[in-house]
Amino acid sequence: MSTLLRLLQVRPDAGAEGEVFAGQASGPAGKRAYGGLLAAQSLAAACRTVGADRSPTSMHLQFLRAGDAGEPADYRVHRIYDGRTASTRRVESHERGRMLTTATVSFATELTGPAHGRRPVLWQDPETLGRTGPPGPAPSLPLDEFDIRIADDKSSGEFVRQMWWRVTAALPDDPLLHTLIAVYITDLYGIDPALAVHGHSMRSRSHRSGTTDSSIWFHRPVCAGEWNLLESRSPAAARGRGVITSSLIAADGMVVATLVQEGLVADRAGT
């Protein structure tokens, strides 16, 4: 089994009271836990408590404190609502008794209705780009299982990050797994565009930075083994916080998910 697939699995904790699931640590010990892993494992745990007739439509997650990449997290799921066509779960992640994140996940059965959300032309052919990898170090991720190509654009006067990604490891035909992978990888340096607007980056460590809140709405199935484009921009930053809005776009131009993140982008001086 690939490292990525192993990390996205959660298993029931038989010794815990209630619905608790155990995730696996990515390592290395002593490094900050990757937020995308906490988010993906939170979603995986919530999905274990709903019927097969419904899939996730949104997740809203708050990062409360940093975890250790060498320590596994436990995920406690609370059943908030179960209706005829929709369900809601609250998920809390804990590491050695310390709460790291809290999330609300919504599920629904598929219904018919109006549909739109196709980009007529994608800006770039990812095959023409160099294999850049992420915007900075990512020791907790199995980067050998991803192909990541980044092209930043300022031609319109606005900074736009275009992060093309796909999984190079073999993947089973499991729609939920592909959704979990999308949640996992789209947190990678997610707040960086708020700094890039001002000529800074998370990699330079010029500012205190990191995601504090993350929301994602799932519109259509994701195919993680094919090219996907995460197109991100920062509409506002103030008071040491920045907001990022992103669209996750499939190779055929369909918008498969919409993301909004808030993160810390505070000066280091005086801290």
Side-chain angles (χ1 to χ4, degrees):
M1 178 181 294
S2 76
T3 299
L4 176 63
L5 299 187
R6 176 179 58 80
L7 289 174
L8 297 180
Q9 289 187 339
V10 295
R11 64 184 188 280
D13 186 344
E17 183 177 347
E19 292 184 292
V20 179
F21 299 85
Q24 300 191 50
S26 63
K31 295 291 186 179
R32 177 180 292 188
Y34 174 49
L37 178 60
L38 295 171
Q41 289 182 344
S42 293
L43 178 58
C47 290
R48 293 288 295 268
T49 68
V50 300
D53 65 325
R54 53 202 65 195
S55 56
T57 58
S58 68
M59 181 170 70
H60 309 282
L61 184 142
Q62 286 185 299
F63 294 93
L64 306 178
R65 54 175 60 89
D68 188 324
E71 294 286 342
D74 294 324
Y75 298 86
R76 181 173 296 276
V77 181
H78 303 269
R79 297 183 181 235
I80 304 303
Y81 174 76
D82 280 303
R84 186 172 57 86
T85 62
S87 296
T88 302
R89 299 290 185 265
R90 187 174 74 247
V91 186
E92 300 163 353
S93 71
H94 297 261
E95 178 190 288
R96 293 187 176 272
R98 300 166 62 250
M99 188 184 297
L100 303 182
T101 64
T102 180
T104 301
V105 185
S106 297
F107 298 85
T109 59
E110 186 169 346
L111 304 174
T112 58
H116 61 273
R118 180 190 289 274
R119 296 291 181 88
V121 178
L122 295 181
W123 292 4
Q124 197 103 28
D125 179 359
E127 296 292 349
T128 66
L129 302 174
R131 192 166 178 169
T132 63
S140 299
L141 279 73
L143 293 178
D144 59 324
E145 298 183 32
F146 284 95
D147 186 346
I148 297 174
R149 308 186 187 196
I150 293 175
D152 294 336
D153 183 81
K154 300 180 183 178
S155 60
S156 66
E158 177 187 31
F159 178 88
V160 180
R161 168 149 296 161
Q162 301 167 70
M163 186 180 88
W164 290 92
W165 64 269
R166 63 180 175 183
V167 175
T168 56
L171 296 174
D173 185 17
D174 179 353
L176 174 57
L177 173 63
H178 289 248
T179 298
L180 294 176
I181 293 171
V183 170
Y184 177 81
I185 199 63
T186 53
D187 187 57
L188 186 61
Y189 284 81
I191 298 301
D192 203 43
L195 290 168
V197 169
H198 302 275
H200 304 297
S201 69
M202 295 177 72
R203 183 173 189 169
S204 69
R205 300 184 63 81
S206 59
H207 293 71
R208 298 164 56 206
S209 59
T211 308
T212 55
D213 297 84
S214 181
S215 294
I216 181 168
W217 290 264
F218 307 103
H219 310 310
R220 297 176 175 88
V222 180
C223 184
E226 297 180 0
W227 282 116
N228 293 275
L229 171 63
L230 183 68
E231 185 181 278
S232 304
R233 45 181 49 85
S234 179
R239 300 190 300 167
R241 304 272 174 149
V243 169
I244 308 298
T245 59
S246 306
S247 295
L248 182 60
I249 307 166
D252 63 359
M254 297 302 296
V255 178
V256 298
T258 299
L259 300 86
V260 178
Q261 291 180 306
E262 183 200 56
L264 188 68
V265 288
D267 293 338
R268 288 192 179 275
T271 61

